[in-house]
Amino acid sequence: MNQLRELPVPPHFIPEEVDQVRRVPYQERAKDAQRWADRFSLPPAAQDAPRVCLLLVDCQNTFCTPGFELFVGGRSGRGAVEDNVRLCNFIYRNLANITQISATMDTHQAVQIFHPVFWIDEKGECPEPMTPISVRDLETGTWEVNRSIAETVWDGGYEGLRAYARHYVGELGRKGKYDLMVWPYHAMVGGIGHALVSAVEEALFFHEIARKSRCTFEIKGFHRFTEHYSVLSPEVTLDQQGNRIGEKDSELLDELLSFDAVVIAGQAKSHCVAWTVEDLLLEIRERLPERAERIYLLEDCTSAVVVPGVVDFTDQADATFRRFADEGMHLVRSSYPMAEWPGFCRWL
């Protein structure tokens, strides 16, 4: 069995450069990682007992790098950058303790139900980003499906897509979630915004080489006709005729629950992190209630969406995390040794 231990942070990591988009020097970093593994006698991850998974939610430029489309600034204004400095430090210090890292990748294309081009008003103009669309808006004609895109994206043409849009927005309301939000174009597949933050990518690569591990990447959000905040399930799974358009990711759920502990961080605390943890908690309740105590939330490596003077989800996100803790999950800080986390050493 592993003895939990912390390592120093390797010299290539420069916290002041976490907000920069750059090329990772793979060959050089691979040699560094192998030397690090030899120096600290790091065993292959396959030998780990207990097995620990670090689940990173959407640590991509689009959310984490200033100037990109949906930068999560939090109340400090640099939330995601500060979070990723702490996250990279956590990964390097715990190379010996983390078995596998799994990274979710929010992945979009231009014509999706939550992007401006999907909708038009009576003048034929698309909504501005951050515009909510409710059932009432569709009933009154405030917003309507963009007829010019219908033939290319929906087999039933305009009327079929129009009927689906009403069904979709209605389903969101029926489930008590929220109105449909029109987001700015973001996390566009193939673009720089879609990529992982360079410093985080480098840390994941370093872990793979040093521990002979396999980093997994979970694509979410690519379906044209549903939002996908949680990596574990889309917001709507059936169309107006009962045909399936998405489903729960049972394979990923099974994999996460196969680990002795799962540590979760990423962006944003108020949205994709919260919904991912919520879906994981629902599955745990149904299958393995005792597993809630094996989930650790890095509360200093995630920030809420804050738009100064417009909206601040911090209090709501904090309340949600407190509810997760009440359900048995643990709120922990990345700077604390894992050996000191509540209940963590019971599997040693």
Side-chain angles (χ1 to χ4, degrees), residues 262-283:
V262 177
V263 183
I264 303 175
Q267 303 305 331
K269 182 179 183 179
S270 51
H271 288 73
C272 293
V273 174
W275 271 294
T276 295
V277 176
E278 185 72 58
D279 279 350
L280 181 58
L281 180 58
L282 288 172
E283 190 73 12

Side-chain angles (χ1 to χ4, degrees), residues 9-242:
V9 176
H12 72 260
F13 177 60
I14 303 174
E16 293 77 16
E17 296 181 355
V18 168
D19 62 354
Q20 297 181 14
V21 177
R22 58 181 174 80
R23 182 184 69 85
V24 175
Y26 299 114
Q27 289 301 117
E28 178 184 348
R29 206 58 72 232
K31 294 176 181 178
D32 293 341
Q34 186 56 59
R35 285 192 289 265
W36 209 250
D38 294 341
R39 176 181 172 184
F40 293 101
S41 301
L42 296 178
Q47 298 178 11
D48 280 6
R51 299 173 63 248
V52 177
C53 178
L54 174 61
L55 177 64
L56 302 183
V57 178
D58 300 355
C59 292
Q60 299 161 268
N61 288 319
T62 202
F63 304 110
C64 299
T65 301
F68 278 77
E69 302 85 7
L70 284 172
F71 175 63
V72 181
R75 285 182 174 170
S76 74
R78 286 180 60 81
V81 174
E82 296 161 346
D83 295 335
N84 283 331
V85 170
R86 290 185 285 263
L87 176 61
C88 290
N89 273 300
F90 174 80
I91 293 171
Y92 289 127
R93 287 189 292 103
N94 289 284
L95 281 175
N97 306 327
I98 299 169
T99 307
Q100 177 179 305
I101 302 176
S102 295
T104 76
M105 303 290 290
D106 205 32
T107 305
H108 300 314
Q109 50 195 321
V111 182
Q112 292 192 261
I113 199 166
F114 44 80
H115 277 159
V117 72
F118 201 93
W119 304 94
I120 55 173
D121 61 14
E122 60 182 9
K123 297 179 180 179
E125 296 178 353
C126 298
E128 291 296 319
M130 313 308 290
T131 298
I133 296 180
S134 66
V135 172
R136 177 66 176 164
D137 291 329
L138 300 185
E139 292 173 344
T140 60
T142 302
W143 296 109
E144 189 56 88
V145 167
N146 189 345
R147 183 185 291 270
S148 64
I149 68 170
E151 297 296 336
T152 60
V153 301
W154 190 267
D155 289 340
Y158 174 70
E159 291 301 329
L161 184 58
R162 188 167 179 261
Y164 173 77
R166 280 160 169 71
H167 162 79
Y168 181 82
V169 176
E171 279 293 285
L172 295 181
R174 187 183 66 80
K175 293 179 179 181
K177 290 196 170 184
Y178 39 76
D179 292 335
L180 170 69
M181 179 63 73
V182 177
W183 296 104
Y185 300 104
H186 66 287
M188 301 295 286
V189 64
I192 297 173
H194 182 256
L196 287 174
V197 169
S198 300
V200 174
E201 179 200 1
E202 188 169 41
L204 269 55
F205 180 79
F206 195 88
H207 178 269
E208 284 190 289
I209 299 297
R211 294 299 319 280
K212 309 300 182 289
S213 182
R214 176 180 65 94
C215 182
T216 63
F217 295 89
E218 307 295 336
I219 301 298
K220 71 178 181 71
F222 200 59
H223 199 290
R224 291 189 189 276
F225 305 115
T226 179
E227 296 153 288
H228 209 307
Y229 294 108
S230 165
V231 68
L232 299 173
S233 181
E235 300 307 299
V236 172
T237 57
L238 301 175
D239 68 14
Q240 69 272 30
Q241 297 175 332

